[in-house]
Amino acid sequence: MGIQEPCLIEKAAREEELKTAIQRVFHANYCVCGARKIHAQLRREGGGVARCTVERLMRQMGLQGLRRGRRTRTTVAEGVPTAADLVERSFTAVGPNRLWVADITYIRAFRDGCMPRS
């Protein structure tokens, strides 16, 4: 037991250093890079670390890269009855450029310098 304790302490200290480096790289890249790119950046900087370790530490810290091609689906209209118009809105214009209608259902915005997760 006495031999393993220093190893565990060294491992914990190394993981704390890695967590700090991972967070630095993650935030320097606008919170969009995943484990693969963060691993590559750490290797370029001279840090010998396995990609599975970067993945595990990112999961522990709750960091997740932005996924390409997946959009947030805000409404699912299939098979759902349309709600009644309780305020009796009229979307008929009297002439050109007289009535403007906008639907702000979902706006992707930065939060604390990071993109929100979908």
Side-chain angles (χ1 to χ4, degrees):
M1 232 26 197
I3 295 173
Q4 290 180 349
E5 288 177 8
C7 293
L8 292 176
I9 292 171
E10 290 172 10
K11 181 180 177 183
R14 169 76 174 144
E15 286 188 356
E16 286 303 316
E17 289 174 11
L18 284 174
K19 284 181 180 181
T20 304
I22 289 170
Q23 283 183 336
R24 177 183 50 78
V25 172
F26 185 73
H27 290 292
N29 289 290
Y30 305 104
C31 307
V32 297
C33 287
R36 185 177 58 85
K37 289 188 177 182
I38 289 177
H39 170 257
Q41 180 61 34
L42 291 175
R43 295 288 299 240
R44 279 192 296 270
E45 293 175 0
V49 59
R51 191 174 75 204
C52 60
T53 303
V54 173
E55 291 169 352
R56 179 176 53 83
L57 293 175
M58 284 183 70
R59 267 194 310 273
Q60 285 178 2
M61 294 185 293
L63 301 178
Q64 182 180 5
L66 194 63
R67 295 185 182 133
R68 289 187 196 168
R70 296 188 184 188
R71 300 287 181 236
T72 301
R73 189 170 182 182
T74 57
T75 57
V76 180
E78 300 167 2
V80 178
T82 307
D85 186 9
L86 300 178
V87 293
E88 299 176 4
R89 296 171 287 193
S90 173
F91 295 114
T92 55
V94 203
N97 208 18
R98 296 288 181 182
L99 178 68
W100 290 21
V101 178
D103 178 19
I104 303 176
T105 305
Y106 180 80
I107 298 175
R108 186 177 199 125
F110 281 97
R111 173 186 45 95
D112 300 329
C114 296
M115 293 290 287
R117 301 295 168 237
S118 305

